[in-house]
Amino acid sequence: MSAGTRIRVGWRASVGLTGDVLTYLVVPLSFPLLVALYYGESPLPFLAAIGVTLALGTLFRRLGDPDVNLGPREAFLAVALIWLLVAAVGAVPFVVAGVGTIAHPVNAMFEAMSGLTTTGATVLRDFSVHSRSVLMWRQVIQWLGGLGILILATAVLSEIGVGGAQLMETESQTQDVNKLTPKISETARLIWSLYLGLTALAIAVYFALGLAFDPRMDLYNAVAHAFTSVATAGFSPEPLSVGAFHPVIQWAVVPFMVVGSTSFVLLYFFINGEPMRLLRNEEFHFYLGALAFFSAVVAGSLFLDPATTFGAEATLRHAVFNVASIVTTTGYASTDYVQWAPAAKHMLFACMFVGGMVGSTTCSIKSLRWLVALKAFRRDLYTAIHPDAVRPIRVTGKPVDETVVRDIYGYLLLSIVIFFLLTVVIVVDAERAGLRVTEFEAMGAAATTFLNIGPAFGDAGPYGTFASFSMTTRGVMIVLMWIGRIEIVPVLVLFTRAFWTS
Amino acid sequence: MHVVIVGAGEVGTSIAASLAPDHEVVVVDVDPDRAEQLKYELDVLTIAGDGTASGIQTAANVGDADMVIACTDDDRTNLVTCGTAKTLGDGFTIARVKSTEYLRTWEGNEGAFGVDFMVCTDLLTAQNIVRVIGLPAAVDVDPFASGLVQMAEFEIGAESPVAGQTVSEADRFESLTFVGIFRDGEMIIPRGDTGIEAGDRAVVIGSPESVQSFANDVAPAATPDGADEIVIVGGSEIGYQTARLLEEREFSPRLIERDADRARTLAEELPNTVVMEHDATDTEFLSREHVDEADIVVAALGSDEQNLLVSVLAKRLGVDRVIAVVDSPDYVTVFEEIGIDIAINPRTVTAEEITRFTYESIAENIAVLENDQAEVLELELTEGCRFAGRSIAELVDEIDVRFVIGAITRNHALVTPRGDTVLRPGDHVILLVDADAVSEIASMA
């Protein structure tokens, strides 16, 4: 930085907030600690992580200054920092446990980042070597990342106050956090209680179905899968993912993934006597339409493919389950779709780019952006003929601001660029490392990490592992999962001069 | 009746002129010259001063007034005038406003601002324009219940699709009632099996939308439908309201507005209107957008000169019907003389509405049909009146005169009358009645 330019970012506010969040990480870390004690496993990984997070948290709080205002820039910085550091702390138990592929720090970071960003891509090779508590920790981080740790922070830390709305908007890049109550912390609390409630419901349903149909779905598995289905996250302590369980349980997971990718604000209204706000919402229609369309197409191509040998119910189930899993960016699998015919497989690839609704736990492009972009495209065709026509884009009858339309175009373009760059990196790096990765597999892996979906194709398929990529590729993927989850902008702005100077 | 009129502009003067012969009228205006001038033009008492001031109102003896009409050009002055008048006495207050927001507030809570009757100039003008656009086939159209209900009389031509049908075949609309058929100078109270013949005149009462749809059935050629091109030039409040009301009747008009921000706002407010941002006097633009092929052009720009220009241009391009908003009453005839089909003056419309309302009559509103063979009345039902608490079927059995209830409005919402509909105090009932029985029926409300 040249002489005379002063840093204009109130970084001490961001750092202080990061410290607060790190300190609070003790609470979720105690959960796998209890699991470890219950199963008589070593509590050491979690005690170490608690130590690290408390030390870092205290240090950051000291550095921080609560009197500095949390403006837009500070919010960008805080969001980027918090997601990065929480993932780093989340990696500590894996390294300390020292078992399997994730003992390596880069792999541990990959796993933690994949977890926190609800990607669900794993580098685990052998599930059996890991303790139940370590596997549970993966589930817990995903649950935390599901709704966004900052919404949680806003709900818990009442002192965030005014900055909270800023944080929530920055985190999810949506134009407006639909405030349910005048106080943003109150809104965050309502949304989190809804999330908690849905998770509890999922636990109850899975456990009950387990009792009735499948003894493998015990309380441990019910909790583990409830954590990652409502969070549309995708980790499973089972190597076969949800495919390990009875078909009835697979069907039961679908609605929870779908609800998890529905706008929580609209869900709140739905429960509280204003169901029409959800049922009339155009994004909701678009999203359900996409689910139905892709399910039908995939099911159709599976039925037409002579190599598919499942029965009718199983074919339909695998089509619906895997389409829902990928469209909602969950990343569970009910079967190894890598074995499917190219048509069905490529449709699943297309599904990766859809995403659920804005304001949900889902990642990827999101339905609202597609809806607005498609409407804008249709408008462009119209105005080509009638250049003077003024046509606002409406979603559910409400006009969309033109700056939002521009932002969406920008986001789509940026996503495409990053997606292609990442594909190139994977292909080139695989070539360098002497790995056999096809372009399609590279595209799948790029999309799945950047859009936070989970499994891809080839070795990185649902029953495979990302450990087969080179270390460099995995490093790049860690960064892209991070960027992708907080929707690019908060990270990219940190690398602009304008952000740091006047 | 002692009437105080605040505001001696065109509206106030026009009202004063029509009331002066029969009533004791006091006119208040801020402009002393205007007050002085009026004193010699009309036989009224004039007071120069601020009509909102209670001192001036006392001088005008508002405390004992039967009616206070606030019709200056300023909305807030009119509202404050009515509010002040309510503190001094108990006269019926009428306020003229431009803002539809005030009207919505008032409709939501009648008596708000101390106003007993509110007339919204721009909305009224737009309603007038839409009526003229929408029902060219009607021989008579009158609004009732502040525009919620319309009465229309249609002549059934031989080529009309409903000629030869029975009433129940022709009446396919939810909120529409057939109230009367005139044939060879006789009034027929229609029943479901009454046949409609060519040459009849049919009277219907219902929501403006259903009357519109019915008009389409009666005279498909003359009545504009969704496929007809309606172009509104100018996004003034009148232009906006016109587009909005047309949208309500399932037209998809086009609206041309020059100002970018206003165009954007209008486009956001009007989902079924194509808003164009351009200068409407640019002929190249007009031909590119095929405005010359429009069936109807409404000129609703800010000034009479601009409207004249656009209207003449539209006529030259070959537009069938051109309707222009003309702000100055003096120009209305000029517009019509040079070939503009209809010139509508907002002030005249407002004055007429207020005057109609002030006429002391047995009903809230009256329309006279076919040389007073029958009348359509709007009656507000009072507590304990003969109508209240009875179903329509009971009333028809009990009362031995020819009448048909066409529509009911309750709390500003339309209730379609059926045999089992029970009337309540406060309801506005719009009914057609034999001319001989008007006072008999009116006395029952």
Side-chain angles (χ1 to χ4, degrees):
Chain A
M1 200 164 298
S2 62
T5 28
R6 269 187 50 208
I7 293 184
R8 305 283 183 151
V9 183
W11 61 273
R12 294 186 66 184
S14 324
V15 165
L17 182 62
T18 311
D20 283 340
V21 174
L22 285 173
T23 318
Y24 276 97
L25 217 54
V26 171
V27 180
L29 273 165
S30 337
F31 183 71
L33 182 66
L34 294 176
V35 174
L37 294 175
Y38 177 80
Y39 287 113
E41 296 165 354
S42 163
L44 193 65
F46 308 105
L47 289 175
I50 288 173
V52 169
T53 201
L54 278 180
L56 269 179
T58 317
L59 175 70
F60 275 55
R61 287 171 90 154
R62 287 269 165 82
L63 283 173
D65 182 350
D67 293 335
V68 181
N69 252 338
L70 201 68
R73 294 186 198 194
E74 291 74 29
F76 282 129
L77 182 59
V79 166
L81 267 182
I82 287 172
W83 282 85
L84 191 63
L85 282 165
V86 171
V89 171
V92 171
F94 302 142
V95 178
V96 175
V99 186
T101 39
I102 51 169
H104 187 287
V106 173
N107 283 343
M109 189 64 189
F110 184 97
E111 196 76 5
M113 188 59 94
S114 163
L116 188 69
T117 57
T118 74
T119 305
T122 183
V123 286
L124 291 194
R125 255 211 183 91
D126 185 359
F127 282 64
S128 58
V129 297
H130 297 285
S131 69
R132 284 174 160 237
S133 50
V134 164
L135 288 177
M136 184 53 93
W137 175 233
R138 290 166 78 230
Q139 310 296 113
V140 173
I141 330 180
Q142 289 218 307
W143 187 76
L144 283 179
L147 205 52
I149 34 177
L150 280 154
I151 300 188
L152 177 61
T154 311
V156 177
L157 304 171
S158 50
E159 73 260 31
I160 291 182
V162 182
Q166 193 72 257
L167 281 173
M168 282 165 70
E169 280 179 32
T170 310
E171 183 176 52
S172 57
Q173 285 299 297
T174 49
Q175 56 280 27
D176 64 324
V177 174
N178 206 337
K179 275 195 180 186
L180 298 165
T181 57
K183 278 197 186 303
I184 187 73
S185 54
E186 189 61 33
T187 300
R189 230 162 281 156
L190 287 177
I191 290 179
W192 260 88
S193 20
L194 184 60
Y195 187 51
L196 267 170
L198 283 171
T199 310
L201 181 68
I203 295 176
V205 169
Y206 296 166
F207 185 62
L209 289 176
L211 287 180
F213 294 101
D214 192 341
R216 280 168 302 175
M217 184 54 94
D218 53 7
L219 187 60
Y220 176 87
N221 265 327
V223 171
H225 287 92
F227 276 178
T228 56
S229 39
V230 180
T232 65
F235 273 162
S236 166
E238 293 292 328
L240 293 182
S241 187
V242 179
F245 302 103
H246 191 276
V248 171
I249 293 173
Q250 295 178 23
W251 278 115
V253 171
V254 175
F256 283 106
M257 295 193 289
V258 173
V259 167
S261 24
T262 305
S263 158
F264 273 60
V265 172
L266 294 177
L267 275 180
Y268 178 84
F269 283 121
F270 184 80
I271 299 174
N272 284 283
E274 291 180 67
M276 280 307 155
R277 290 181 72 152
L278 174 66
L279 299 180
R280 292 229 177 95
N281 187 282
E282 237 182 295
E283 188 194 5
F284 187 58
H285 298 166
F286 181 90
Y287 164 59
L288 290 187
L291 272 179
F293 170 77
F294 283 111
S295 300
V297 172
V298 170
S301 55
L302 286 180
F303 275 120
L304 292 178
D305 177 25
T308 310
T309 50
F310 322 121
E313 183 273 338
T315 309
L316 189 65
R317 169 162 44 86
H318 290 317
V320 171
F321 187 95
N322 292 292
V323 165
S325 162
I326 288 188
V327 169
T328 62
T329 74
T330 308
Y332 285 149
S334 64
T335 178
D336 191 2
Y337 56 70
V338 172
Q339 313 297 328
W340 287 2
K345 212 156 56 176
H346 284 74
M347 280 319 281
L348 284 185
F349 175 68
C351 287
M352 288 185 168
F353 297 87
V354 181
M357 291 174 74
V358 165
S360 69
T361 63
T362 188
C363 305
S364 191
I365 308 281
K366 296 201 175 80
S367 298
L368 183 69
R369 291 204 177 96
W370 284 121
L371 191 60
V372 171
L374 290 174
K375 287 187 172 201
F377 179 60
R378 198 175 61 190
R379 171 178 68 181
D380 290 347
L381 292 182
Y382 185 89
T383 44
I385 306 164
H386 302 281
D388 299 295
V390 184
R391 308 226 96 183
I393 288 163
R394 287 167 201 279
V395 175
T396 325
K398 276 199 193 145
V400 177
D401 206 272
E402 291 306 316
T403 55
V404 173
V405 178
R406 242 187 350 259
D407 287 352
I408 287 175
Y409 274 152
Y411 175 87
L412 287 175
L413 186 66
L414 208 54
S415 299
I416 292 167
V417 170
I418 292 177
F419 165 68
F420 276 110
L421 283 178
L422 182 57
T423 307
V424 171
V425 166
I426 294 173
V427 171
V428 170
D429 192 54
E431 184 76 16
R432 182 192 58 80
L435 302 168
R436 205 182 54 78
V437 177
T438 67
E439 269 83 5
F440 176 64
E441 285 164 12
M443 280 163 78
T448 204
T449 45
F450 174 55
L451 301 172
N452 309 115
I453 293 153
F457 306 96
D459 261 0
Y463 293 162
T465 169
F466 279 71
S468 25
F469 289 108
S470 83
M471 206 57 99
T472 325
T473 300
R474 267 174 282 159
V476 174
M477 284 173 169
I478 293 174
V479 175
L480 285 164
M481 288 190 278
W482 174 50
I483 296 180
R485 178 63 174 94
I486 47 185
E487 311 210 319
I488 315 175
V489 178
V491 177
L492 288 196
V493 289
L494 301 188
F495 295 99
T496 61
R497 181 189 273 276
F499 178 84
W500 294 100
T501 58
S502 82
Chain B
M1 191 163 67
H2 178 58
V3 182
V4 177
I5 298 171
V6 176
E10 272 141 19
V11 177
T13 308
S14 164
I15 297 167
S18 60
L19 293 180
D22 304 318
H23 302 283
E24 191 188 307
V25 177
V26 181
V27 178
V28 179
D29 199 278
V30 275
D31 178 2
D33 295 341
R34 178 73 196 134
E36 186 70 13
Q37 190 191 348
L38 206 63
K39 196 157 64 182
Y40 300 110
E41 281 176 16
L42 300 170
D43 183 17
V44 294
L45 173 67
T46 57
I47 295 173
D50 179 359
T52 62
S54 86
I56 297 290
Q57 290 203 356
T58 311
N61 197 12
V62 164
D64 292 328
D66 299 293
M67 191 174 277
V68 178
I69 301 169
C71 52
T72 69
D73 267 337
D74 183 62
D75 285 6
R76 295 185 188 200
T77 304
N78 295 340
L79 296 182
V80 174
T81 301
C82 289
T84 312
K86 278 290 173 198
T87 65
L88 293 177
D90 195 29
F92 192 88
T93 53
I94 299 176
R96 163 199 177 190
V97 295
K98 288 202 191 81
S99 151
T100 44
E101 285 308 317
Y102 290 134
L103 182 70
R104 301 269 169 268
T105 309
W106 179 77
E107 281 179 346
N109 181 9
E110 234 165 277
F113 316 115
V115 173
D116 294 318
F117 182 66
M118 193 178 267
V119 178
C120 179
T121 319
D122 291 343
L123 183 61
L124 209 60
T125 310
Q127 282 168 342
N128 232 307
I129 294 172
V130 171
R131 216 155 48 227
V132 171
I133 293 176
L135 301 168
V139 291
D140 193 3
V141 188
D142 276 304
F144 285 89
S146 341
L148 274 175
V149 176
Q150 238 172 35
M151 184 280 301
E153 185 178 351
F154 294 96
E155 194 166 81
I156 310 292
E159 71 291 344
S160 169
V162 298
Q165 289 184 332
T166 63
V167 164
S168 53
E169 280 166 342
D171 181 7
R172 301 176 289 106
F173 304 101
E174 182 63 24
S175 48
L176 186 87
T177 312
F178 255 83
V179 290
I181 291 175
F182 293 101
R183 182 180 300 156
D184 307 327
E186 286 288 308
M187 187 183 78
I188 302 164
I189 298 283
R191 296 152 51 98
D193 56 1
T194 308
I196 304 170
E197 295 171 13
D200 284 358
R201 286 192 166 195
V203 182
V204 293
I205 293 176
S207 68
E209 296 79 16
S210 63
V211 171
Q212 182 75 54
S213 317
F214 178 72
N216 229 337
D217 274 17
V218 175
T223 308
D225 57 30
D228 279 64
E229 279 283 343
I230 303 173
V231 178
I232 301 163
V233 180
S236 58
E237 185 66 19
I238 294 177
Y240 161 65
Q241 292 293 348
T242 304
R244 191 179 64 78
L245 293 170
L246 285 171
E247 279 190 357
E248 272 178 17
R249 290 179 204 196
E250 283 161 24
F251 293 109
S252 308
R254 281 192 287 168
L255 196 156
I256 303 167
E257 165 62 42
R258 191 179 186 166
D259 179 74
D261 288 341
R262 178 69 182 162
R264 169 80 194 183
T265 313
L266 290 170
E268 289 182 356
E269 295 289 324
L270 298 164
N272 296 319
T273 300
V274 176
V275 177
M276 306 275 195
E277 180 200 322
H278 208 98
D279 179 3
T281 55
D282 173 359
T283 41
E284 196 258 326
F285 159 76
L286 293 178
S287 70
R288 185 175 69 221
E289 289 297 338
H290 300 285
V291 171
D292 50 326
E293 287 162 28
D295 299 277
I296 299 159
V297 165
V298 179
L301 289 160
S303 80
D304 288 355
E305 289 75 12
Q306 285 176 310
N307 282 337
L308 184 68
L309 184 60
V310 166
S311 305
V312 171
L313 213 53
K315 267 289 164 196
R316 265 202 54 199
L317 286 169
V319 173
D320 288 343
R321 300 176 76 206
V322 176
I323 300 167
V325 176
V326 185
D327 225 29
S328 158
D330 299 342
Y331 289 171
V332 170
T333 44
V334 177
F335 268 71
E336 285 177 346
E337 264 168 25
I338 58 168
I340 309 308
D341 298 271
I342 294 149
I344 293 181
N345 176 257
R347 293 165 208 272
T348 315
V349 171
T350 312
E352 277 170 5
E353 173 79 4
I354 295 177
T355 311
R356 213 149 66 100
F357 192 83
T358 52
Y359 275 139
E360 225 181 355
S361 71
I362 44 174
E364 299 281 310
N365 211 337
I366 294 186
V368 177
L369 299 172
E370 297 289 297
N371 301 320
D372 206 8
Q373 283 195 44
E375 289 183 13
V376 174
L377 305 181
E378 177 179 344
L379 302 171
E380 185 175 350
L381 303 187
T382 52
E383 198 74 50
C385 76
R386 180 131 177 233
F387 280 17
R390 305 277 171 87
S391 75
I392 291 175
E394 283 168 5
L395 285 171
V396 172
D397 285 345
E398 279 174 28
I399 299 169
D400 194 27
V401 279
R402 299 209 296 164
F403 77 100
V404 184
I405 295 183
I408 300 162
T409 65
R410 186 172 290 165
N411 300 325
H412 292 284
L414 183 66
V415 178
T416 307
R418 295 279 173 256
D420 56 359
T421 309
V422 177
L423 299 173
R424 297 186 202 156
D427 283 359
H428 282 233
V429 176
I430 295 97
L431 46 79
L432 175 131
V433 59
D434 218 84
D436 305 334
V438 167
S439 34
E440 196 182 333
I441 286 288
S443 65
M444 293 177 191

